[in-house]
Amino acid sequence: MLKTLLILCGSLLLCEGGLVKIPLIKFVEEKNLSHELQKLQIKFNITDIATMPPKYHYLDFSFYGKITIGTPPQDFLVLFDTGSHLLWVPLKTYTLDNEDFGRHHQYDPEKSQTYQLNGQPFFMIYESGYLSGHLVEDTVSLAGKEIQNVTFGVATYRPDATFRYAPYDGVMGMSFFNSSLHYAQPIFYDLMKQHKLEENVFSFYYLRNGSTRLGGELTLGGINPDHFEGQLHYVNISRKYHWQFEVESAHVNKIQVCKKCQVIADTGCNGIGLPRDDYHRVNRAIGATIDPETYQFVVDCNKINQLPEITFKIGDGIFTLSGQDYIKRLNNRCVSGFHNIGSAKFWILGDLFIGKYYTVFDFDKSRVGFAKTKQNIQITI
């Protein structure tokens, strides 16, 4: 099935009018909240993130797209992650423990004419294990747009509990670069350095509605006005490390739950991450109660349409999420999409928000833009 989806996705890649358009494949996944929080802890260096019972799961959409690496090209399905910097994929090792990577596509340097060894190790620690490997260089192609000499990671070991059953092969980081902290430049920096795009801008469109596997589009080089309605509202980056900006305020009904909060737009986060006090404040404001079995906030599934909206004032725009937007389901349980990220000093706006609002990441002007997503259209081929 995954091979078929890669072929389908590959057949739809477009590069026209200076825009590079990468269709995104939509999966409905059963997520383990403990593992999702571990990933956030690593990305954002949160030392005391909440620990969750391993049995706590929920259903949510995830969005992945195709890239190719090497000459001739090798296909990979990756998570495009604005919350991290490194591109990494599994390495083919020809050893008995190669089963660590299960059914995922694995990079084979012996089959690439443009492969170069870098050799620097990389290492990421998770509660369920560690992701490790070394850096290499090769050609990477995004919708037919070739980028030469990209430095990326090839993983030789990863924690099964966190990654083994994920539908994607690897991750393509799209955050800002910090030479003192990061292993290699994000691939978007290579695109800019090699002058591959008309504008140093990328934008995400997620199609959360409908049953189609085509779940949206990543546009490189600008924006696609077919995917949003109304005006784009921009806000300046407040810290050029993550895609971090200030939200002037957020309210649930008339209860203010945020005032001049620092927020990070993160396509690698499924829900909305909140510091511990805000997590309790927001969930109580929407009327959620603690489930004694999982210690998570839940609501009555029959009353989702009656839940209050949460309203954000970002720049000169007003953005709202309804109960239908921020509640997740699994079987007969309806759980809050607001997650506890411990002592963090910022909020994380993940797919729950980006799925409703077309999101533009503008390197040239150091800003993020939002507009209401058109949910009733398909990707134009």
Side-chain angles (χ1 to χ4, degrees), residues 35-54:
H35 298 158
E36 297 304 309
L37 291 178
Q38 288 169 31
K39 295 174 188 176
L40 296 179
Q41 182 177 15
I42 298 300
K43 288 198 294 186
F44 300 114
N45 194 30
I46 304 170
T47 57
D48 69 337
I49 205 163
T51 56
M52 307 311 306

Side-chain angles (χ1 to χ4, degrees), residues 250-257 309:
H251 290 80
V252 179
N253 288 330
K254 295 183 179 180
I255 302 171
Q256 181 171 275
V257 293
E309 293 182 334

Side-chain angles (χ1 to χ4, degrees), residues 52-342:
M52 307 311 306
K55 63 183 178 181
Y56 176 70
H57 294 75
Y58 60 89
L59 290 179
D60 202 2
F61 291 117
S62 295
F63 304 87
Y64 309 114
K66 177 192 168 184
I67 68 171
T68 67
I69 301 175
T71 310
Q74 302 173 38
D75 292 344
F76 296 92
L77 199 63
V78 298
L79 168 66
F80 296 104
D81 181 12
T82 61
S84 65
H85 76 284
L86 186 65
L87 167 63
W88 68 263
V89 295
L91 175 67
K92 191 172 186 65
T93 60
Y94 296 100
T95 62
L96 292 176
D97 63 359
N98 204 42
E99 287 301 314
D100 285 345
F101 295 103
R103 59 189 174 84
H104 293 95
H105 294 82
Q106 299 156 36
Y107 171 71
D108 189 343
E110 295 183 9
K111 293 183 178 180
S112 176
Q113 301 166 15
T114 44
Y115 156 76
Q116 298 180 62
L117 177 65
N118 176 294
Q120 178 185 343
F122 77 92
F123 194 85
M124 300 178 188
I125 300 174
Y126 294 88
E127 184 178 320
S128 59
Y130 60 89
L131 175 73
S132 63
H134 59 270
L135 302 183
V136 301
E137 295 180 14
D138 209 334
T139 296
V140 177
S141 182
L142 306 174
K145 184 79 71 173
E146 283 193 353
I147 312 104
Q148 289 78 36
N149 305 118
V150 175
T151 302
F152 62 96
V154 288
T156 56
Y157 182 83
R158 65 182 179 177
D160 277 359
T162 307
F163 293 107
R164 183 175 180 83
Y165 298 105
Y168 59 95
D169 304 310
V171 173
M172 190 178 110
M174 303 183 75
S175 69
F176 289 99
F177 176 61
N178 185 312
S179 59
S180 63
L181 297 174
H182 292 160
Y183 291 105
Q185 288 186 153
I187 194 170
F188 199 78
Y189 279 66
D190 294 296
L191 280 166
M192 293 189 291
K193 187 185 302 182
Q194 297 178 29
H195 305 290
K196 300 289 186 178
L197 304 173
E198 290 188 6
E199 294 182 277
N200 296 323
V201 174
F202 60 87
S203 47
F204 281 87
Y205 163 63
Y206 287 153
L207 183 61
R208 294 180 67 90
N209 293 343
S211 59
T212 175
R213 278 298 185 107
L214 285 175
E217 181 181 271
L218 165 60
T219 303
L220 302 170
I223 62 174
N224 187 341
D226 292 338
H227 295 325
F228 65 90
E229 57 189 40
Q231 169 185 353
L232 276 163
H233 299 270
Y234 286 97
V235 59
N236 291 333
I237 297 297
S238 57
R239 184 178 179 228
K240 205 170 181 179
Y241 178 67
H242 296 294
W243 289 97
Q244 182 171 329
F245 55 93
E246 183 179 272
V247 169
E248 185 171 322
S249 65
H251 290 80
V252 179
N253 288 330
K254 295 183 179 180
I255 302 171
Q256 181 171 275
V257 293
C258 158
K259 182 178 181 181
K260 296 190 179 301
C261 297
Q262 290 298 303
V263 174
I264 294 172
D266 179 15
T267 57
C269 172
N270 284 110
I272 293 179
L274 304 177
R276 185 177 295 106
D277 291 345
D278 293 340
Y279 164 76
H280 288 283
R281 185 179 301 112
V282 169
N283 278 300
R284 287 171 180 150
I286 66 173
T289 57
I290 292 284
D291 181 338
E293 181 181 356
T294 65
Y295 303 103
Q296 285 301 288
F297 280 97
V298 297
V299 300
D300 184 340
C301 292
N302 295 318
K303 296 182 178 180
I304 291 178
N305 291 332
Q306 302 171 30
L307 296 178
E309 293 182 334
I310 179 168
T311 301
F312 300 84
K313 189 174 190 310
I314 303 174
D316 62 353
I318 301 295
F319 306 89
T320 62
L321 296 178
S322 68
Q324 292 287 354
D325 299 320
Y326 61 70
I327 296 299
K328 303 172 184 285
R329 295 175 181 265
L330 182 60
N331 299 326
N332 296 320
R333 299 177 63 251
C334 292
V335 298
S336 169
F338 300 104
H339 300 320
N340 184 353
I341 56 172

